[in-house]
Structures are given as structure tokens and as C-alpha cells.
Short mmCIF file of all heavy atoms in Angstrom, two decimals:
data_model
loop_
_atom_site.label_atom_id
_atom_site.label_comp_id
_atom_site.label_asym_id
_atom_site.label_seq_id
_atom_site.Cartn_x
_atom_site.Cartn_y
_atom_site.Cartn_z
N MET A 1 0.83 -1.20 0.02
CA MET A 1 -0.03 0.02 0.00
C MET A 1 0.89 1.26 0.02
O MET A 1 1.92 1.29 0.69
CB MET A 1 -0.90 0.02 1.22
CG MET A 1 -1.79 1.22 1.24
SD MET A 1 -2.73 1.57 2.80
CE MET A 1 -3.67 0.14 2.99
N VAL A 2 0.49 2.22 -0.75
CA VAL A 2 1.22 3.50 -0.82
C VAL A 2 0.37 4.63 -0.33
O VAL A 2 -0.82 4.75 -0.73
CB VAL A 2 1.65 3.77 -2.31
CG1 VAL A 2 2.32 5.15 -2.40
CG2 VAL A 2 2.57 2.70 -2.83
N ALA A 3 0.89 5.42 0.56
CA ALA A 3 0.23 6.69 1.03
C ALA A 3 0.84 7.81 0.22
O ALA A 3 2.07 7.90 0.14
CB ALA A 3 0.39 6.87 2.51
N HIS A 4 0.04 8.66 -0.27
CA HIS A 4 0.52 9.81 -1.07
C HIS A 4 0.11 11.08 -0.40
O HIS A 4 -1.05 11.30 -0.14
CB HIS A 4 -0.03 9.72 -2.52
CG HIS A 4 0.52 10.84 -3.39
ND1 HIS A 4 -0.33 11.73 -4.03
CD2 HIS A 4 1.75 11.17 -3.72
CE1 HIS A 4 0.41 12.55 -4.68
NE2 HIS A 4 1.67 12.28 -4.51
N PHE A 5 1.04 11.91 -0.07
CA PHE A 5 0.82 13.22 0.54
C PHE A 5 1.19 14.26 -0.52
O PHE A 5 2.37 14.62 -0.67
CB PHE A 5 1.66 13.37 1.81
CG PHE A 5 1.32 12.38 2.86
CD1 PHE A 5 1.99 11.18 2.94
CD2 PHE A 5 0.35 12.67 3.78
CE1 PHE A 5 1.66 10.25 3.93
CE2 PHE A 5 0.02 11.77 4.78
CZ PHE A 5 0.69 10.55 4.86
N PRO A 6 0.25 14.73 -1.39
CA PRO A 6 0.59 15.51 -2.53
C PRO A 6 1.18 16.86 -2.30
O PRO A 6 1.94 17.36 -3.09
CB PRO A 6 -0.73 15.59 -3.29
CG PRO A 6 -1.78 15.42 -2.25
CD PRO A 6 -1.17 14.49 -1.24
N ALA A 7 0.88 17.47 -1.16
CA ALA A 7 1.37 18.81 -0.88
C ALA A 7 1.67 18.92 0.62
O ALA A 7 0.89 19.44 1.38
CB ALA A 7 0.36 19.85 -1.32
N PRO A 8 2.84 18.46 1.02
CA PRO A 8 3.20 18.53 2.48
C PRO A 8 3.11 19.99 2.93
O PRO A 8 3.59 20.88 2.23
CB PRO A 8 4.63 18.03 2.56
CG PRO A 8 4.77 17.18 1.29
CD PRO A 8 3.88 17.79 0.30
N THR A 9 2.49 20.19 4.11
CA THR A 9 2.30 21.56 4.62
C THR A 9 3.28 22.00 5.61
O THR A 9 3.31 23.16 6.03
CB THR A 9 0.90 21.63 5.28
OG1 THR A 9 0.87 20.76 6.40
CG2 THR A 9 -0.21 21.23 4.30
N GLY A 10 4.12 21.08 6.10
CA GLY A 10 5.04 21.42 7.19
C GLY A 10 4.41 21.18 8.55
O GLY A 10 5.04 21.38 9.56
N ALA A 11 3.13 20.83 8.54
CA ALA A 11 2.41 20.56 9.83
C ALA A 11 2.72 19.14 10.29
O ALA A 11 3.05 18.25 9.50
CB ALA A 11 0.93 20.70 9.64
N CYS A 12 2.54 18.88 11.54
CA CYS A 12 2.72 17.54 12.09
C CYS A 12 1.68 16.65 11.48
O CYS A 12 0.49 16.92 11.49
CB CYS A 12 2.56 17.61 13.64
SG CYS A 12 2.92 16.04 14.44
N THR A 13 2.10 15.52 10.89
CA THR A 13 1.23 14.61 10.18
C THR A 13 1.46 13.18 10.69
O THR A 13 2.58 12.72 10.82
CB THR A 13 1.59 14.66 8.67
OG1 THR A 13 1.51 15.99 8.23
CG2 THR A 13 0.65 13.80 7.86
N PRO A 14 0.36 12.45 10.96
CA PRO A 14 0.48 11.04 11.38
C PRO A 14 1.11 10.18 10.28
O PRO A 14 0.80 10.43 9.08
CB PRO A 14 -0.95 10.59 11.63
CG PRO A 14 -1.72 11.83 11.81
CD PRO A 14 -1.02 12.90 10.97
N LEU A 15 1.99 9.30 10.61
CA LEU A 15 2.59 8.40 9.69
C LEU A 15 1.95 7.07 9.76
O LEU A 15 1.75 6.53 10.89
CB LEU A 15 4.11 8.22 10.02
CG LEU A 15 4.95 7.44 9.08
CD1 LEU A 15 5.08 8.15 7.71
CD2 LEU A 15 6.30 7.16 9.63
N PRO A 16 1.46 6.50 8.64
CA PRO A 16 0.83 5.15 8.70
C PRO A 16 1.79 4.18 9.41
O PRO A 16 3.02 4.14 9.10
CB PRO A 16 0.61 4.80 7.26
CG PRO A 16 0.59 6.10 6.54
CD PRO A 16 1.52 7.01 7.27
N GLN A 17 1.30 3.38 10.35
CA GLN A 17 2.16 2.53 11.13
C GLN A 17 2.72 1.34 10.33
O GLN A 17 3.59 0.65 10.79
CB GLN A 17 1.43 2.03 12.38
CG GLN A 17 1.28 3.18 13.41
CD GLN A 17 2.64 3.77 13.80
OE1 GLN A 17 3.41 3.14 14.52
NE2 GLN A 17 2.94 4.96 13.30
N THR A 18 2.22 1.14 9.13
CA THR A 18 2.82 0.10 8.24
C THR A 18 3.88 0.67 7.33
O THR A 18 4.50 -0.10 6.58
CB THR A 18 1.68 -0.53 7.40
OG1 THR A 18 0.99 0.47 6.67
CG2 THR A 18 0.70 -1.30 8.26
N ALA A 19 4.11 2.01 7.40
CA ALA A 19 5.12 2.65 6.53
C ALA A 19 6.50 2.08 6.89
O ALA A 19 6.87 1.99 8.04
CB ALA A 19 5.08 4.14 6.71
N ASP A 20 7.27 1.77 5.85
CA ASP A 20 8.62 1.30 6.04
C ASP A 20 9.63 1.98 5.16
O ASP A 20 10.79 1.64 5.11
CB ASP A 20 8.71 -0.21 5.86
CG ASP A 20 8.35 -0.67 4.41
OD1 ASP A 20 8.04 0.20 3.59
OD2 ASP A 20 8.36 -1.87 4.19
N SER A 21 9.16 3.04 4.44
CA SER A 21 10.06 3.81 3.57
C SER A 21 9.34 5.05 3.07
O SER A 21 8.11 5.15 3.18
CB SER A 21 10.52 2.97 2.37
OG SER A 21 9.42 2.51 1.61
N HIS A 22 10.09 5.98 2.53
CA HIS A 22 9.45 7.15 1.92
C HIS A 22 10.39 7.66 0.75
O HIS A 22 11.58 7.41 0.77
CB HIS A 22 9.16 8.27 2.92
CG HIS A 22 10.39 8.99 3.39
ND1 HIS A 22 11.11 8.59 4.47
CD2 HIS A 22 11.07 10.07 2.94
CE1 HIS A 22 12.13 9.38 4.67
NE2 HIS A 22 12.13 10.30 3.75
N VAL A 23 9.74 8.32 -0.20
CA VAL A 23 10.42 8.92 -1.30
C VAL A 23 9.85 10.34 -1.42
O VAL A 23 8.65 10.51 -1.47
CB VAL A 23 10.18 8.13 -2.62
CG1 VAL A 23 10.82 8.82 -3.76
CG2 VAL A 23 10.66 6.71 -2.48
N GLY A 24 10.71 11.32 -1.54
CA GLY A 24 10.25 12.70 -1.71
C GLY A 24 9.90 13.03 -3.15
O GLY A 24 10.70 12.83 -4.08
N TRP A 25 8.65 13.47 -3.34
CA TRP A 25 8.20 13.85 -4.69
C TRP A 25 7.67 15.24 -4.84
O TRP A 25 7.66 15.79 -5.92
CB TRP A 25 7.03 12.93 -5.11
CG TRP A 25 7.35 11.53 -5.34
CD1 TRP A 25 7.30 10.48 -4.39
CD2 TRP A 25 7.86 10.91 -6.51
NE1 TRP A 25 7.69 9.32 -4.96
CE2 TRP A 25 8.07 9.58 -6.26
CE3 TRP A 25 8.16 11.42 -7.78
CZ2 TRP A 25 8.55 8.69 -7.19
CZ3 TRP A 25 8.65 10.53 -8.70
CH2 TRP A 25 8.83 9.20 -8.42
N SER A 26 7.24 15.87 -3.79
CA SER A 26 6.44 17.07 -3.89
C SER A 26 7.29 18.37 -3.66
O SER A 26 6.76 19.35 -3.18
CB SER A 26 5.28 17.03 -2.91
OG SER A 26 4.46 15.93 -3.16
N GLY A 27 8.53 18.34 -3.98
CA GLY A 27 9.33 19.56 -3.88
C GLY A 27 9.81 19.91 -2.53
O GLY A 27 10.33 20.99 -2.27
N PHE A 28 9.69 18.98 -1.54
CA PHE A 28 10.20 19.31 -0.22
C PHE A 28 11.67 18.91 -0.09
O PHE A 28 12.14 18.13 -0.90
CB PHE A 28 9.31 18.67 0.89
CG PHE A 28 9.19 17.18 0.85
CD1 PHE A 28 10.08 16.40 1.54
CD2 PHE A 28 8.18 16.55 0.14
CE1 PHE A 28 10.00 15.03 1.54
CE2 PHE A 28 8.10 15.18 0.10
CZ PHE A 28 9.00 14.41 0.80
N GLN A 29 12.35 19.44 0.91
CA GLN A 29 13.76 19.27 1.10
C GLN A 29 14.08 18.20 2.14
O GLN A 29 15.17 17.61 2.05
CB GLN A 29 14.37 20.59 1.55
CG GLN A 29 14.04 21.74 0.65
CD GLN A 29 15.04 21.83 -0.49
OE1 GLN A 29 16.19 21.56 -0.29
NE2 GLN A 29 14.59 22.22 -1.64
N ASP A 30 13.23 17.98 3.11
CA ASP A 30 13.61 17.10 4.19
C ASP A 30 12.33 16.54 4.91
O ASP A 30 11.28 17.20 4.91
CB ASP A 30 14.47 17.81 5.23
CG ASP A 30 15.06 16.89 6.26
OD1 ASP A 30 15.31 15.73 5.93
OD2 ASP A 30 15.33 17.35 7.38
N VAL A 31 12.43 15.40 5.52
CA VAL A 31 11.38 14.82 6.33
C VAL A 31 12.01 14.57 7.71
O VAL A 31 13.13 14.02 7.82
CB VAL A 31 10.87 13.49 5.74
CG1 VAL A 31 9.83 12.83 6.69
CG2 VAL A 31 10.24 13.72 4.40
N THR A 32 11.31 14.99 8.78
CA THR A 32 11.78 14.78 10.14
C THR A 32 10.73 13.86 10.81
O THR A 32 9.51 14.16 10.77
CB THR A 32 11.86 16.10 10.91
OG1 THR A 32 12.75 16.95 10.19
CG2 THR A 32 12.46 15.89 12.26
N PHE A 33 11.19 12.81 11.47
CA PHE A 33 10.32 11.81 12.12
C PHE A 33 10.37 11.97 13.61
O PHE A 33 11.38 12.36 14.17
CB PHE A 33 10.79 10.42 11.76
CG PHE A 33 10.67 10.07 10.33
CD1 PHE A 33 11.75 10.13 9.49
CD2 PHE A 33 9.47 9.71 9.77
CE1 PHE A 33 11.64 9.80 8.16
CE2 PHE A 33 9.31 9.40 8.44
CZ PHE A 33 10.39 9.45 7.62
N PHE A 34 9.21 11.56 14.24
CA PHE A 34 9.12 11.60 15.70
C PHE A 34 8.42 10.29 16.16
O PHE A 34 7.62 9.72 15.49
CB PHE A 34 8.24 12.80 16.08
CG PHE A 34 8.78 14.11 15.70
CD1 PHE A 34 8.53 14.64 14.47
CD2 PHE A 34 9.60 14.80 16.57
CE1 PHE A 34 9.06 15.87 14.05
CE2 PHE A 34 10.13 16.04 16.20
CZ PHE A 34 9.88 16.55 14.94
N GLN A 35 8.76 9.92 17.38
CA GLN A 35 8.14 8.73 18.01
C GLN A 35 6.93 9.09 18.84
O GLN A 35 6.39 8.26 19.53
CB GLN A 35 9.13 7.99 18.81
CG GLN A 35 10.22 7.32 17.92
CD GLN A 35 11.26 6.58 18.71
OE1 GLN A 35 11.61 6.90 19.79
NE2 GLN A 35 11.75 5.50 18.09
N THR A 36 6.51 10.36 18.78
CA THR A 36 5.33 10.85 19.56
C THR A 36 4.18 11.23 18.60
O THR A 36 4.47 11.44 17.39
CB THR A 36 5.72 12.09 20.36
OG1 THR A 36 6.14 13.12 19.49
CG2 THR A 36 6.80 11.79 21.34
N ALA A 37 3.02 11.31 19.11
CA ALA A 37 1.84 11.66 18.28
C ALA A 37 1.73 13.11 17.95
O ALA A 37 0.90 13.52 17.16
CB ALA A 37 0.57 11.17 18.97
N ASP A 38 2.56 13.99 18.55
CA ASP A 38 2.43 15.47 18.34
C ASP A 38 3.77 16.12 17.87
O ASP A 38 3.92 17.30 18.04
CB ASP A 38 1.96 16.09 19.63
CG ASP A 38 2.86 15.91 20.80
OD1 ASP A 38 3.89 15.18 20.70
OD2 ASP A 38 2.57 16.48 21.86
N CYS A 39 4.63 15.35 17.30
CA CYS A 39 5.90 15.92 16.77
C CYS A 39 6.71 16.62 17.77
O CYS A 39 7.33 17.67 17.54
CB CYS A 39 5.65 16.79 15.52
SG CYS A 39 4.98 15.90 14.10
N THR A 40 6.75 16.07 19.00
CA THR A 40 7.60 16.63 20.02
C THR A 40 8.64 15.59 20.42
O THR A 40 8.60 14.46 20.01
CB THR A 40 6.76 17.02 21.28
OG1 THR A 40 6.14 15.83 21.77
CG2 THR A 40 5.77 18.13 20.97
N GLY A 41 9.63 16.00 21.20
CA GLY A 41 10.67 15.12 21.64
C GLY A 41 11.76 15.03 20.62
O GLY A 41 11.93 15.88 19.76
N GLN A 42 12.54 13.97 20.65
CA GLN A 42 13.65 13.74 19.77
C GLN A 42 13.23 13.70 18.32
O GLN A 42 12.33 12.90 17.98
CB GLN A 42 14.44 12.53 20.13
CG GLN A 42 15.70 12.37 19.28
CD GLN A 42 16.59 11.24 19.77
OE1 GLN A 42 16.48 10.82 20.88
NE2 GLN A 42 17.43 10.74 18.88
N ALA A 43 13.87 14.45 17.52
CA ALA A 43 13.62 14.46 16.05
C ALA A 43 14.71 13.70 15.32
O ALA A 43 15.83 13.78 15.70
CB ALA A 43 13.57 15.89 15.56
N THR A 44 14.30 12.98 14.32
CA THR A 44 15.26 12.21 13.50
C THR A 44 15.08 12.62 12.02
O THR A 44 14.01 12.46 11.50
CB THR A 44 15.03 10.68 13.65
OG1 THR A 44 15.19 10.33 15.01
CG2 THR A 44 16.00 9.88 12.80
N GLY A 45 16.11 13.14 11.47
CA GLY A 45 16.10 13.57 10.07
C GLY A 45 16.06 12.37 9.16
O GLY A 45 16.79 11.41 9.35
N GLY A 46 15.22 12.45 8.12
CA GLY A 46 15.08 11.30 7.22
C GLY A 46 15.43 11.67 5.74
O GLY A 46 15.41 10.80 4.91
N GLY A 47 15.78 12.91 5.51
CA GLY A 47 16.08 13.29 4.11
C GLY A 47 14.88 13.12 3.22
O GLY A 47 13.74 13.33 3.62
N THR A 48 15.10 12.77 1.96
CA THR A 48 13.98 12.56 1.01
C THR A 48 13.89 11.12 0.50
O THR A 48 12.98 10.80 -0.23
CB THR A 48 14.17 13.50 -0.19
OG1 THR A 48 15.42 13.22 -0.84
CG2 THR A 48 14.08 14.96 0.22
N LEU A 49 14.78 10.27 0.93
CA LEU A 49 14.67 8.87 0.59
C LEU A 49 15.29 8.02 1.74
O LEU A 49 16.43 8.21 2.13
CB LEU A 49 15.47 8.55 -0.70
CG LEU A 49 15.60 7.13 -1.14
CD1 LEU A 49 14.24 6.57 -1.53
CD2 LEU A 49 16.52 6.98 -2.31
N ARG A 50 14.46 7.11 2.32
CA ARG A 50 14.92 6.35 3.45
C ARG A 50 14.01 5.12 3.66
O ARG A 50 12.83 5.17 3.38
CB ARG A 50 14.90 7.23 4.69
CG ARG A 50 15.50 6.55 5.89
CD ARG A 50 15.62 7.51 7.05
NE ARG A 50 16.20 6.85 8.19
CZ ARG A 50 16.83 7.40 9.14
NH1 ARG A 50 17.04 8.69 9.10
NH2 ARG A 50 17.33 6.72 10.16
N THR A 51 14.63 4.06 4.18
CA THR A 51 13.84 2.93 4.63
C THR A 51 14.02 2.78 6.16
O THR A 51 15.02 3.25 6.69
CB THR A 51 14.29 1.63 3.94
OG1 THR A 51 15.65 1.36 4.27
CG2 THR A 51 14.12 1.66 2.44
N TYR A 52 13.08 2.15 6.80
CA TYR A 52 13.10 2.02 8.28
C TYR A 52 12.12 0.92 8.67
O TYR A 52 11.25 0.51 7.89
CB TYR A 52 12.73 3.36 8.94
CG TYR A 52 11.67 4.14 8.22
CD1 TYR A 52 10.30 3.84 8.35
CD2 TYR A 52 12.04 5.16 7.32
CE1 TYR A 52 9.36 4.55 7.63
CE2 TYR A 52 11.06 5.85 6.61
CZ TYR A 52 9.74 5.55 6.80
OH TYR A 52 8.78 6.22 6.10
N PRO A 53 12.26 0.41 9.94
CA PRO A 53 11.29 -0.58 10.39
C PRO A 53 9.93 -0.03 10.50
O PRO A 53 9.73 1.06 11.00
CB PRO A 53 11.87 -1.01 11.75
CG PRO A 53 13.28 -0.50 11.82
CD PRO A 53 13.30 0.69 10.90
N ALA A 54 8.91 -0.75 9.98
CA ALA A 54 7.50 -0.34 10.10
C ALA A 54 7.16 -0.12 11.59
O ALA A 54 7.59 -0.85 12.43
CB ALA A 54 6.59 -1.36 9.52
N GLY A 55 6.44 0.97 11.85
CA GLY A 55 6.02 1.30 13.25
C GLY A 55 7.05 2.02 14.06
O GLY A 55 6.83 2.35 15.18
N ASN A 56 8.22 2.30 13.45
CA ASN A 56 9.26 2.98 14.19
C ASN A 56 8.93 4.42 14.54
O ASN A 56 9.31 4.93 15.60
CB ASN A 56 10.55 2.90 13.40
CG ASN A 56 11.79 3.17 14.24
OD1 ASN A 56 11.92 2.63 15.34
ND2 ASN A 56 12.68 4.02 13.73
N TRP A 57 8.17 5.11 13.64
CA TRP A 57 7.89 6.52 13.85
C TRP A 57 6.35 6.69 13.87
O TRP A 57 5.62 5.92 13.18
CB TRP A 57 8.45 7.38 12.70
CG TRP A 57 9.86 7.03 12.40
CD1 TRP A 57 10.28 6.41 11.25
CD2 TRP A 57 11.00 7.26 13.19
NE1 TRP A 57 11.66 6.26 11.29
CE2 TRP A 57 12.11 6.74 12.50
CE3 TRP A 57 11.19 7.84 14.46
CZ2 TRP A 57 13.40 6.84 13.01
CZ3 TRP A 57 12.49 7.92 14.97
CH2 TRP A 57 13.55 7.40 14.23
N LYS A 58 5.86 7.68 14.59
CA LYS A 58 4.41 7.93 14.63
C LYS A 58 3.97 9.11 13.81
O LYS A 58 2.86 9.15 13.35
CB LYS A 58 3.97 8.13 16.10
CG LYS A 58 4.09 6.83 16.89
CD LYS A 58 3.50 6.98 18.27
CE LYS A 58 3.64 5.65 18.97
NZ LYS A 58 2.93 5.54 20.18
N THR A 59 4.86 10.14 13.71
CA THR A 59 4.48 11.37 13.02
C THR A 59 5.72 11.87 12.26
O THR A 59 6.83 11.42 12.45
CB THR A 59 4.01 12.46 13.98
OG1 THR A 59 5.04 12.67 15.01
CG2 THR A 59 2.66 12.15 14.63
N PHE A 60 5.40 12.83 11.30
CA PHE A 60 6.49 13.45 10.59
C PHE A 60 6.13 14.88 10.20
O PHE A 60 5.01 15.28 10.22
CB PHE A 60 6.79 12.62 9.29
CG PHE A 60 5.78 12.75 8.23
CD1 PHE A 60 5.87 13.67 7.23
CD2 PHE A 60 4.71 11.87 8.24
CE1 PHE A 60 4.93 13.81 6.20
CE2 PHE A 60 3.74 11.90 7.22
CZ PHE A 60 3.89 12.88 6.22
N LEU A 61 7.22 15.63 9.92
CA LEU A 61 7.07 16.98 9.34
C LEU A 61 7.83 16.94 7.99
O LEU A 61 8.99 16.40 7.91
CB LEU A 61 7.79 18.01 10.23
CG LEU A 61 7.28 18.21 11.63
CD1 LEU A 61 8.18 19.07 12.47
CD2 LEU A 61 5.86 18.81 11.59
N ALA A 62 7.23 17.42 6.94
CA ALA A 62 7.91 17.53 5.64
C ALA A 62 8.08 18.96 5.32
O ALA A 62 7.12 19.80 5.38
CB ALA A 62 7.09 16.83 4.60
N ARG A 63 9.28 19.38 4.97
CA ARG A 63 9.59 20.80 4.69
C ARG A 63 10.33 20.89 3.34
O ARG A 63 11.04 20.09 2.94
CB ARG A 63 10.44 21.39 5.78
CG ARG A 63 9.73 21.37 7.06
CD ARG A 63 10.55 22.07 8.14
NE ARG A 63 10.04 21.72 9.44
CZ ARG A 63 10.66 21.06 10.35
NH1 ARG A 63 11.95 20.72 10.18
NH2 ARG A 63 10.08 20.78 11.47
#
């Protein structure tokens, strides 16, 4: 299954818990992941292409 976020707003967005990778398409520069539901706490930079264990992150910011 693929989730498509056509126009990232920079707002805190829930990440599908089955997600195990991402590819940047919509002109953004970076994705930051969080293990919390409100994009607080430790941030982990993901760039625009990355794989990771499903369920590792709960939310993200795309800029």
C-alpha cells in the first residue's frame, strides 16, 4: 500500500504505522520523524529517501 501526501504543509502529520520507507516527490527538502503523536521530543532527520522498520515513527514533518 502506498500513502501519497501530494502537498506537504510542514504541519505535524500522522505516519501510517505500516510505513517502512518514503520517497520525496512534492518539492520538499527534508522529512523529520518523531516517536510521539504530536511531533515533540527527539527528532530524527530522514532526508528525502529512506527505509526504516515499520512502526518505528508515529508522526513526521515535511519541509
Side-chain angles (χ1 to χ4, degrees):
M1 180 190 303
V2 174
H4 183 238
F5 298 90
T9 64
C12 186
T13 305
L15 185 68
Q17 288 303 287
T18 56
D20 63 1
S21 58
H22 73 270
V23 176
W25 290 95
S26 300
F28 60 91
Q29 305 273 324
D30 191 29
V31 176
T32 305
F33 295 100
F34 299 86
Q35 293 180 326
T36 61
D38 60 355
C39 294
T40 60
Q42 183 172 339
T44 301
T48 58
L49 176 64
R50 185 172 180 155
T51 61
Y52 35 83
N56 199 46
W57 315 110
K58 292 188 180 190
T59 53
F60 71 93
L61 298 170
R63 299 183 195 119

